[in-house]
């Protein structure tokens, strides 16, 4: 398994288009297709269904997408740590995925209890406030973009906030009080 193939796969999952993703990565669509096919052969399953409307992740494809983010994060954190520990290292961090924030997630749990948020609302809120794009929140929650948007809208209403930044500030104020 090639790390670059996973990075391309994550971008493809976010974009939903082979053409747009290949263009963004400055590779040919054929090359991108070959890399996805290599991942599909490695895992012996279909990861993405292709249609005229775009590309959709299959259930195994959603799992690989979430795991690929974890793998990319782990490699990037390791590179960053190695760069700090070894000053002459050529390792650099490439930040392409969202990093979980345990303190922020704790604040979301406290807010959920205080304001009666459902576990899905609290989960969507935590992922979105950490910086995950809405489409990725939807994939992580195994729902649609509209579902994720509704969960966030309900959470915002319950918290009395109107934006990601206000939610972030509110959650940090909870941490200061606890």
């Amino acid at each position: 398994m090639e790390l670059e193939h996973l990075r391309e796969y994550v971008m493809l999952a976010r974009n939903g288009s082979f053409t747009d993703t290949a263009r963004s990565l400055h590779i040919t669509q054929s090359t991108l297709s070959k890399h996805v096919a290599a991942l599909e052969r490695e895992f012996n399953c279909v990861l993405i269904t292709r249609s005229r409307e775009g590309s959709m992740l299959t259930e195994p494809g959603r799992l690989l997408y979430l795991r690929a983010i974890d793998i990319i994060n782990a490699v990037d954190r390791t590179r960053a740590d190695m760069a700090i520990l070894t000053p002459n290292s050529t390792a650099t961090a490439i930040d392409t995925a969202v990093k979980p924030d345990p303190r922020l997630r704790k604040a979301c749990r406290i807010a959920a209890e205080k304001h009666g948020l459902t576990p899905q609302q609290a989960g969507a809120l935590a992922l979105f406030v950490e910086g995950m794009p809405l489409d990725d929140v939807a994939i992580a929650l195994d729902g649609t973009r509209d579902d994720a948007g509704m969960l966030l809208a309900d959470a915002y209403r319950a918290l009395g906030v109107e934006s990601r930044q206000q939610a972030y500030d509110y959650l940090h104020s909870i941490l200061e009080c606890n």
Side-chain angles (χ1 to χ4, degrees):
M1 178 181 338
E2 296 289 329
L3 185 62
E4 274 312 303
H5 294 181
L6 289 177
R7 289 186 193 281
E8 293 166 3
Y9 181 77
V10 166
M11 185 177 254
L12 175 60
R14 290 177 176 164
N15 288 338
S17 164
F18 275 81
T19 303
D20 293 343
T21 302
R23 189 176 300 124
S24 296
L25 293 167
H26 305 290
I27 61 175
T28 65
Q29 189 173 339
S30 173
T31 299
L32 179 60
S33 291
K34 287 177 186 174
H35 294 170
V36 171
L39 289 170
E40 289 178 329
R41 277 192 309 278
E42 182 163 348
F43 294 108
N44 195 30
C45 65
V46 175
L47 299 169
I48 296 177
T49 58
R50 299 151 180 90
S51 71
R52 291 183 191 264
E53 293 81 38
S55 302
M56 298 278 300
L57 296 179
T58 62
E59 189 172 335
R62 281 192 296 275
L63 176 63
L64 179 61
Y65 169 76
L66 295 171
R67 296 289 165 79
I69 289 172
D70 291 341
I71 292 166
I72 291 165
N73 276 334
V75 169
D76 289 347
R77 281 191 311 272
T78 302
R79 284 183 176 159
D81 292 345
M82 294 302 288
I84 291 167
L85 292 174
T86 54
N88 296 328
S89 170
T90 59
T92 58
I94 302 169
D95 189 11
T96 57
V98 174
K99 293 168 180 46
D101 181 343
R103 289 177 33 90
L104 193 60
R105 292 190 178 195
K106 176 183 176 186
C108 281
R109 285 191 299 275
I110 294 168
E113 290 173 15
K114 181 176 180 181
H115 296 280
L117 300 180
T118 67
Q120 275 200 314
Q121 289 169 336
L125 181 64
L127 294 171
F128 193 65
V129 170
E130 285 175 338
M132 185 177 278
L134 185 60
D135 289 330
D136 294 354
V137 172
I139 291 169
L141 297 175
D142 201 23
T144 66
R145 180 181 171 85
D146 290 342
D147 295 337
M150 291 301 296
L151 287 169
L152 285 169
D154 291 343
Y156 279 15
R157 237 184 328 277
L159 299 178
V161 299
E162 296 178 357
S163 70
R164 184 187 297 205
Q165 185 61 50
Q166 286 180 351
Y168 182 86
D169 292 343
Y170 175 74
L171 292 171
H172 275 277
S173 72
I174 288 176
L175 289 173
E176 291 171 7
C177 295
N178 288 304

